[in-house]
Amino acid sequence: MGVKSEDEMLEGGTTCSGDGERVALKRKITLQNGVAIIVGTIIGSGIFVSPTGVFKETKSVGVSLIVWLLSGVFSMLGALCYAELGTCITRSGGDYAYIMEAFGPLSAFLQLWVSLVVLRPTTQAIVALTFAQYAAKPFFLDCHTPENAVRLLAAVCLCLLTAVNCISVRWAMRIQGVFTAAKLLALVAIVIAGIVHISGGNTSYFNEPFEGDYSAGSIAVAFYSGLFAFGGWNFLNFVTEELQDPYRNLPRAIWIAMPIVTLIYFTANLAYFAVVSGDEMLASPAVAVTFGNKMFGTLRWAVPVFVALSTFGGVNGILFTSARLFLAGAQEGHLPPFFSFIHIRKFTPVPSLLFTCLMSLVMLCSSDVFQLINYFSLVLWLSVAASIVGLLYLRYSRPDMPRPIRVHLALPISFLLCCLFLVSIPAIAEPINTVIGLGITLTGVPVYYIFIKSKNKSETYGRVLNNITSALQTLLEVVSPEEEERLLGPTKT
């Protein structure tokens, strides 16, 4: 077999170089790249949809702005704690790897389980619905966008991008790059327009900023929407192995990126509140469109277009990373083997991509993105809290474990207390959501013992799984990386 092209080697990830040396991850991500990864990952659909969710729970301009500011500070604390986890536990998988190291396979599987059935599909559904709301808005500028049209357009978005990700990693990454620029352009336009509006003396909506209808429980729920918009602050942990001098650059990237994002989010919300009244914000799930209608005149169509482009790229990135997470879980034996299979010619994880798309389509049964955020956030912060508890437990149980980055003990304790607040207060205020979230998590326990722990003892399980695997291999033209190497052999010069 001849030497593969550079693009093929990028997409395959399991090939060898001509001299027989295995192609491994290289430390090519600089400090500047690390900052760009954090900023580009965080800024997605949240800043365009979450402002309404925050204000809905507080009815106060001042409290909403404080929630946005504290969400940024809180996310920075979490990112610094994850910097310690990411440099002492270098395995891929994020929370899954950290919980595995601290508490063993059952706890790790439960985290993977909720990621499989709740976290990843819900995230994709939220961003896809946001894309659909903004993409459809230019056709319904003066009326409400039909819910079925939003769902259908979101489903088309998910299916189209899943197909692209199945066909080519290269094309998926090109889409990601192009659409990232759109989100930055949209936010810059909003911030500049808002600053100009405020400079003209238009500050009437800031009168009595702390008047509203809020409580401890509603503020905690408001933080769910705010922190959802900051989601991605721990993304650099997934590429620690590729970061140059990670022990210095990981915390540096966090210190640079998080204030930048917090400033952008705070000023964008300041612009929203200067232009859009409270009643208008509550009536609009697409607050940036309402802002554009009032500020940009005949160019008002540009805001939903740019935001739709931004969220379209966000769906693409989530699909890409979700498939790799499930592939890693399959390689650990916590998911069926076919989740780790790749296409024999395209070198993409087709089964994982199709499954995450299917689960996301199920989530589209609800078009209420704020309800989805509440379901998503409870389980997410339980997972994050478990990782921080793991950090503290490893400090106690394995004090001699190498820790190139060691944050002050006050940071993880403070962050954990905030996580517990985010989980406990809404649990009291909205017990139904809590019961649903915990119930979904606990359903992973029987799944683990029946299908994971005892799978070697069940001939029926093995036979059924083998039949399903064989059928999928034939239908999707996929093989495991080990089988690919056995069939094709190492590349030669």
Side-chain angles (χ1 to χ4, degrees), residues 203-451:
T203 59
S204 60
Y205 294 148
F206 295 115
N207 296 333
E208 299 181 347
F210 294 101
E211 181 180 345
D213 181 16
Y214 50 88
S215 62
S218 66
I219 291 175
V221 175
F223 268 105
Y224 276 177
S225 289
L227 290 169
F228 168 77
F230 279 91
W233 49 262
N234 59 343
F235 188 78
L236 197 58
N237 287 64
F238 289 89
V239 295
T240 304
E241 297 175 37
E242 300 172 79
L243 183 64
Q244 293 177 0
D245 195 4
Y247 308 135
R248 297 180 61 191
N249 286 339
L250 184 58
R252 284 181 176 182
I254 291 167
W255 279 114
I256 296 171
M258 295 308 301
I260 290 174
V261 175
T262 303
L263 178 63
I264 291 174
Y265 277 13
F266 184 83
T267 53
N269 276 277
L270 201 63
Y272 289 146
F273 284 120
V275 175
V276 181
S277 69
D279 291 338
E280 289 173 328
M281 183 170 288
L282 291 174
S284 173
V287 62
V289 171
T290 304
F291 179 94
N293 289 343
K294 301 186 71 172
M295 289 299 296
F296 297 132
T298 57
L299 294 177
R300 59 180 180 165
W301 57 268
V303 173
V305 168
F306 277 109
V307 176
L309 294 175
S310 167
T311 49
F312 189 80
V315 176
N316 181 72
I318 299 167
L319 281 169
F320 186 89
T321 56
S322 296
R324 273 67 185 176
L325 172 63
F326 301 151
L327 185 147
Q331 291 174 338
E332 288 285 345
H334 281 174
L335 290 176
F338 56 80
F339 279 95
S340 68
F341 285 11
I342 62 175
H343 196 276
I344 59 176
R345 292 186 302 276
K346 305 299 183 181
F347 303 103
T348 54
V350 173
S352 291
L353 284 164
L354 293 178
F355 183 82
T356 191
C357 176
L358 178 63
M359 292 298 296
S360 301
L361 292 175
V362 172
M363 291 294 180
L364 292 182
C365 292
S366 172
S367 63
D368 186 346
V369 294
F370 303 120
Q371 188 65 46
L372 288 178
I373 288 173
N374 290 343
Y375 286 140
F376 161 89
S377 297
L378 174 69
V379 179
L380 170 66
W381 290 108
L382 281 173
S383 174
V384 171
S387 296
I388 301 303
V389 171
L391 182 152
L392 296 172
Y393 176 73
L394 290 173
R395 285 271 191 101
Y396 170 77
S397 62
R398 298 171 63 180
D400 298 328
M401 185 179 189
R403 291 178 173 84
I405 296 175
R406 186 183 179 94
V407 298
H408 192 281
L409 190 61
L411 285 183
I413 291 176
S414 301
F415 185 74
L416 179 61
L417 291 175
C418 292
C419 288
L420 294 178
F421 171 78
L422 286 171
V423 171
S424 60
I425 298 299
I428 298 172
E430 300 183 0
I432 299 299
N433 288 351
T434 303
V435 170
I436 293 174
L438 292 178
I440 292 173
T441 303
L442 293 177
T443 57
V445 175
V447 172
Y448 175 79
Y449 282 105
I450 295 173
F451 297 105

